[in-house]
Amino acid sequence: MSSSRRDFLKIASLSAGAMMLNPFQLIASATQSTIFSGNKMKLRFRPYTLELKHVFTIATSSRTTTPVMLTEIDYEGFTGYGEASMPPYLGESQESAAAFLSKVDLGQFNDPFDLETILAYIDGVAPGNPAAKASVDIALHDLIGKLLNAPLFKIWGFDKTKAPYTSFTIGIDKPDVVRQKTKEAGEFKILKIKLGRDTDKEMIETIRSVTDQPLCVDVNQGWKDKNFALEMIHYCKEKGVVFIEQPMPKEDLDGNAWLTERSPLPTIGDEAVQRLPDVMKAHKVYSGINIKLMKSTGLREAHKMLTLARALDMKVMLGCMTETSCAISAAAQLSPMVDWADLDGALLISNDIYRGTEVIDGKVILSDGPGIGIKKI
Ligand code: MG
């Protein structure tokens, strides 16, 4: 961005009606812009607990809440919103995020558009902490979108009408509960089911007794033998499954590569793919990758992962944790460029505090608001 453009933004932000300033007002206020040249970004954060509508069960545990950290970055009258979602099994917590964010000093930067410098600094504050880092990245992206008065998907040149349908996850449960949940998910054009246990075929048969909708399958590394995995993928294809996520343990590169070479369905690396360098490692091991902001440290690296995966002719899926509409709306800015979206996270909670990207008849509908396009409810 040119310095004259930055000056415009600083000048424009002097007024509450910033984007409605006429040229005369701009000239009149130009002399005042220097007053704000020393302004600093201020980061604030607070813990929040998401209440889940239904008990969420994975292989090792069940839970009814998800801890998150909500961030805000203030700059020259604008506020960017961010979020870290931290399901306990991933190792981050409100305590670890607070400890990380307390070390962050954004006051040393004068220009929020210098994302490469700022986010390299954030990444270097401490190792790990991908969700806490994402909460800063998201708030910064929201802030610069607001400063430019444009949604990120437009700044990036994406067509919002190309946003995909999102899958909706049907959790593991007793057959009658699964049937009921499947019936209730009628608006969704693709359903996601979790496999990797000894009830896999029963789960698929139960869902197929209710609906013919396309399915996607997340094995969460649950198939340990490659020949068994290949047999299961052939079975899944017959049952109308469109892709298979993380079929075998992430450490088994040879097994996953063997499987991908023979699989009649695309395979997607999720647990195996956290950040940018993992995309190269996943090439020829999986057909595609699952990008999540809470793994990638936010939008900037997620965008790079998307670009690299496309250059390698890999499929791209966009996933999420249970999150408010803040982190979901942030991820959704990338959704026009992906093959599949799994952005049902905000639909699973009962105490969302933002409104932004919506899901209507199963389709991801991006808001035209600036930045990540959210408003506090
Ligand atoms: Mg997964």
Side-chain angles (χ1 to χ4, degrees):
M1 157 169 288
S2 70
S3 59
S4 60
R5 178 67 178 146
R6 273 198 299 273
D7 287 347
F8 165 76
L9 292 165
K10 283 174 184 165
I11 295 161
S13 64
L14 289 171
S15 162
M19 295 308 161
M20 297 189 300
L21 279 175
N22 67 40
F24 299 104
Q25 285 173 304
L26 274 178
I27 293 163
S29 52
T31 52
Q32 300 170 43
S33 65
T34 50
I35 300 167
F36 289 80
S37 63
N39 259 11
K40 305 291 187 191
M41 286 178 275
K42 283 203 191 76
L43 172 68
R44 288 176 281 129
F45 55 89
R46 70 179 173 100
Y48 188 64
T49 300
L50 306 182
E51 309 285 342
L52 308 187
K53 288 177 185 167
H54 301 287
V55 179
F56 187 78
T57 302
I58 56 171
T60 47
S61 62
S62 292
R63 66 176 205 273
T64 54
T65 60
T66 299
V68 305
M69 189 67 88
L70 301 173
T71 54
E72 298 187 0
I73 297 176
D74 294 328
Y75 178 75
E76 300 202 351
F78 292 86
T79 301
Y81 298 119
E83 176 180 9
S85 172
M86 298 165 292
Y89 63 92
L90 292 176
E92 289 183 78
S93 63
Q94 289 170 336
E95 291 71 27
S96 68
F100 178 88
L101 295 168
S102 300
K103 290 185 205 147
V104 171
D105 173 21
L106 290 181
Q108 62 190 293
F109 303 104
N110 290 317
D111 184 357
F113 288 89
D114 191 6
L115 291 171
E116 281 295 327
T117 306
I118 302 170
L119 293 172
Y121 155 75
I122 295 293
D123 203 18
V125 167
N129 293 284
K133 289 172 182 175
S135 75
V136 181
D137 167 286
I138 294 168
L140 274 172
H141 279 86
D142 190 37
L143 176 65
I144 63 161
K146 283 171 173 162
L147 289 168
L148 291 170
N149 196 27
L152 283 171
F153 72 83
K154 274 200 174 174
I155 293 169
W156 287 333
F158 301 157
D159 175 358
K160 71 180 258 186
T161 65
K162 290 185 179 157
Y165 289 95
T166 178
S167 53
F168 184 80
T169 301
I170 305 291
I172 308 256
D173 222 314
K174 296 188 190 81
D176 55 330
V177 180
V178 169
R179 265 191 290 274
Q180 187 57 35
K181 282 186 177 172
T182 305
K183 280 180 192 159
E184 287 167 10
E187 93 169 91
F188 295 91
K189 306 294 183 264
I190 179 164
L191 300 175
K192 175 165 167 171
I193 52 174
K194 297 273 193 182
L195 298 186
R197 291 164 192 76
D198 49 13
T199 54
D200 286 356
K201 288 189 177 177
E202 183 191 350
M203 183 76 184
I204 289 192
E205 297 294 344
T206 303
I207 288 174
R208 277 289 168 255
S209 72
V210 183
T211 179
D212 292 328
Q213 296 282 58
L215 305 176
C216 56
V217 156
D218 189 354
V219 188
N220 289 118
Q221 318 183 71
W223 295 336
K224 309 298 181 195
D225 176 81
K226 63 186 183 186
N227 288 298
F228 173 77
L230 185 59
E231 202 179 296
M232 282 303 295
I233 295 177
H234 278 285
Y235 167 81
C236 286
K237 183 166 192 287
E238 274 171 34
K239 297 292 176 183
V241 172
V242 294
F243 67 86
I244 308 280
E245 205 180 318
Q246 201 62 59
M248 295 175 63
K250 63 178 179 179
E251 296 81 12
D252 188 357
L253 297 184
D254 290 343
N256 280 297
W258 180 94
L259 191 61
T260 296
E261 210 181 325
R262 290 160 181 79
S263 172
L265 295 175
T267 60
I268 303 294
D270 180 9
E271 285 87 339
V273 181
Q274 310 285 317
R275 300 190 57 178
L276 185 59
D278 300 321
V279 181
M280 279 306 293
K281 292 178 199 159
H283 184 43
K284 296 197 188 294
V285 177
Y286 306 95
S287 321
I289 59 168
N290 185 351
I291 298 174
K292 294 175 184 167
L293 300 187
M294 298 304 145
K295 297 189 298 181
S296 72
T297 70
L299 283 163
R300 192 156 185 88
E301 190 151 327
H303 191 293
K304 291 177 183 177
M305 293 171 76
L306 170 66
T307 306
L308 177 56
R310 286 301 186 213
L312 294 169
D313 200 23
M314 296 177 80
K315 299 278 187 194
V316 177
M317 173 185 179
L318 191 60
C320 65
M321 311 296 172
T322 38
E323 297 164 352
T324 71
S325 287
C326 176
I328 294 294
S329 300
Q333 303 298 314
L334 293 166
S335 68
M337 295 300 287
V338 307
D339 297 290
W340 301 293
D342 182 27
L343 295 177
D344 61 355
L347 306 174
L348 307 175
I349 62 171
S350 58
N351 60 341
D352 200 351
I353 56 163
Y354 298 104
R355 192 182 166 98
T357 293
E358 293 183 289
V359 175
I360 299 174
D361 288 335
K363 190 171 161 64
V364 175
I365 306 292
L366 284 152
S367 126
D368 286 314
I372 61 174
I374 59 168
K375 280 193 161 53
K376 276 189 179 170
I377 295 174

